């Protein structure tokens, strides 16, 4: 027996005023509508990302990714290190987590001051995982 028919049968058997029943049904319908809208509405605020440092207790393995040729492409002069990008990414070895610290020195030419050389970027620029957890997720 449908819900409305059950309510109507209860009204005919008892002395509940129809206007009260209509108010209850209206409130119930509004509550269901609000619940459905809350489930479908995406979050209004942007997702917060934690860009803090990775836990200090994890093992850190440093890698230096350097350029192949330390000569200026313009004038052939020697390139000097002028800075470096340091990125900490979460790596996983089965049942072991560790942090890979990758250093990518940047080189500039003192002769012409226009050329800057840097080692190639990683697979996921700006991402925390290394290739190992990405491959593990893809494989599963």
């Amino acid at each position: 027996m449908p819900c409305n028919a059950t309510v109507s049968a209860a009204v005919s058997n008892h002395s509940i005023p129809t206007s009260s029943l209509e108010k209850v049904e209206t409130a119930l319908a509004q509550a269901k509508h609000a619940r459905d809208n809350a489930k479908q509405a995406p979050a209004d605020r942007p997702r917060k990302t934690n860009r803090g440092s990775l836990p200090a207790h994890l093992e850190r393995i440093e890698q230096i990714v350097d350029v192949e040729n330390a000569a200026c492409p313009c004038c052939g002069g020697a390139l000097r290190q002028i800075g470096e990008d340091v990125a900490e990414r979460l790596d996983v070895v089965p049942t072991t987590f560790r942090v890979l610290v990758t250093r990518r020195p940047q080189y500039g030419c003192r002769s012409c001051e226009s050329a800057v050389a840097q080692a190639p970027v990683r697979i996921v620029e700006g991402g925390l995982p290394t290739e190992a957890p990405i491959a593990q997720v893809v494989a599963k």
Side-chain angles (χ1 to χ4, degrees):
M1 183 178 242
C3 186
N4 289 343
T6 306
V7 173
S8 298
V11 169
S12 63
N13 293 340
H14 301 292
S15 59
I16 300 174
T18 308
S19 62
S20 296
L21 181 60
E22 289 174 353
K23 288 178 183 177
V24 170
E25 287 178 342
T26 303
L28 181 62
Q30 289 174 346
K32 285 181 181 178
H33 181 69
R35 181 188 65 199
D36 292 342
N37 285 346
K39 287 181 182 177
Q40 295 174 355
D44 292 337
R45 54 192 155 91
R47 188 177 130 219
K48 293 182 180 179
T49 56
N50 179 7
R51 292 294 182 182
S53 56
L54 294 167
H57 71 277
L58 293 176
E59 174 189 7
R60 270 149 170 87
I61 299 171
E62 291 209 16
Q63 299 174 324
I64 297 178
V65 181
D66 213 344
V67 295
E68 292 178 12
N69 188 1
C72 178
C74 298
C75 66
L79 295 177
R80 301 288 222 155
Q81 184 171 345
I82 58 173
E84 69 181 1
D85 290 334
V86 178
E88 290 191 345
R89 302 180 297 151
L90 184 63
D91 189 25
V92 63
V93 177
T95 69
T96 303
F97 287 97
R98 61 186 183 176
V99 176
L100 293 181
V101 179
T102 305
R103 298 184 183 278
R104 296 174 46 232
Q106 300 170 341
Y107 294 95
C109 180
R110 286 187 178 175
S111 302
C112 64
E113 295 184 7
S114 65
V116 175
Q118 188 171 13
V121 296
R122 56 187 180 264
I123 291 177
V124 181
E125 186 63 33
L128 291 178
T130 62
E131 294 79 11
I134 292 172
Q136 185 177 5
V137 169
V138 170
K140 288 187 178 187

